[in-house]
Amino acid sequence: MNQPTIDLAASVGTIRTWLNEADRVLITAGAGLSAAAGYDYGDEDRFQELFPALHRHGLRSRYMVGVPLPPALLWGYWAVHIDDIRFSTAPNHLYQRLRALVDGKDHWVMTSNVDGLFARGGFAPDRIFTPQGDYGRYQCSTPCTPTTWDSRPLVQRLLAAYDPAT
């Protein structure tokens, strides 16, 4: 089977031209961008480090935590996961580089990612649309109000009660 060849330099040049000529830019991104930035949900070593009790139960990655779990394990998982993925304060270099590419341009972001990496990378939060939500906010599981709440206080309370061993 013939593999298509890509002239990377030409492609980069085309993208630079498009960005330079654009009045407005819409950035769309999904899980692949966060994975390219180093957030690997399939990383077994990181999973074992953060979730030793779940690892002992045979789970090996964040992708596997769709199985039914006892409430204490489930709430512990979500608290640690959200704290690790969403509330890390460090900006990510890849997102900062992407932000620099649109500097000075009217731009918007639409992402299915719930990790907050665009905002931490310097994108204005009011220009980021997250139709699948944001781990930084929580809401009623059964729609009862359009209101959402800051999840950080809840995550901090859960982490204070979290025992990684159990």
Side-chain angles (χ1 to χ4, degrees), residues 54-74:
L54 293 176
H55 192 267
R56 279 193 310 278
H57 282 272
L59 300 173
R60 296 296 179 253
S61 77
R62 297 181 206 224
Y63 285 124
M64 296 179 76
V65 183
V67 299
L69 292 173
L73 286 175
L74 184 65

Side-chain angles (χ1 to χ4, degrees), residues 83-129:
D83 187 58
D84 180 54
I85 295 296
R86 176 61 175 85
F87 292 129
S88 164
T89 58
N92 182 277
H93 183 67
L94 179 63
Y95 284 81
Q96 289 177 312
R97 287 179 57 206
L98 181 58
R99 174 61 185 92
L101 288 173
V102 297
D103 194 36
K105 298 282 183 187
D106 185 15
H107 62 276
W108 289 86
V109 172
M110 184 170 91
T111 180
S112 58
N113 297 342
V114 296
D115 51 27
L117 287 169
F118 276 101
R120 291 197 315 257
F123 289 87
D126 65 340
R127 294 204 162 241
I128 303 168
F129 176 56

Side-chain angles (χ1 to χ4, degrees), residues 1-162:
M1 176 181 229
N2 292 337
Q3 295 293 326
T5 57
I6 297 173
D7 183 345
L8 188 56
S11 297
V12 168
T14 299
I15 293 168
R16 285 190 195 280
T17 299
W18 290 345
L19 283 173
N20 289 336
E21 293 175 356
D23 294 325
R24 292 176 183 84
V25 178
L26 173 63
I27 298 167
T28 60
L33 187 61
S34 292
Y39 294 85
D40 181 0
Y41 279 41
D43 183 342
E44 184 177 337
D45 292 335
R46 181 76 172 145
F47 186 86
Q48 184 175 7
E49 173 189 337
L50 293 174
F51 311 106
L54 293 176
H55 192 267
R56 279 193 310 278
H57 282 272
L59 300 173
R60 296 296 179 253
S61 77
R62 297 181 206 224
Y63 285 124
M64 296 179 76
V65 183
V67 299
L69 292 173
L73 286 175
L74 184 65
W75 281 104
Y77 166 77
W78 280 111
V80 172
H81 173 69
I82 291 170
D83 187 58
D84 180 54
I85 295 296
R86 176 61 175 85
F87 292 129
S88 164
T89 58
N92 182 277
H93 183 67
L94 179 63
Y95 284 81
Q96 289 177 312
R97 287 179 57 206
L98 181 58
R99 174 61 185 92
L101 288 173
V102 297
D103 194 36
K105 298 282 183 187
D106 185 15
H107 62 276
W108 289 86
V109 172
M110 184 170 91
T111 180
S112 58
N113 297 342
V114 296
D115 51 27
L117 287 169
F118 276 101
R120 291 197 315 257
F123 289 87
D126 65 340
R127 294 204 162 241
I128 303 168
F129 176 56
T130 57
Q132 291 187 7
D134 178 334
Y135 283 152
R137 310 290 302 165
Y138 71 98
Q139 64 190 45
C140 301
S141 59
T142 303
C144 63
T145 176
T147 303
T148 63
W149 298 273
D150 180 1
S151 66
R152 189 182 300 259
L154 174 62
V155 168
Q156 289 173 340
R157 283 183 49 210
L158 290 168
L159 289 173
Y162 177 70

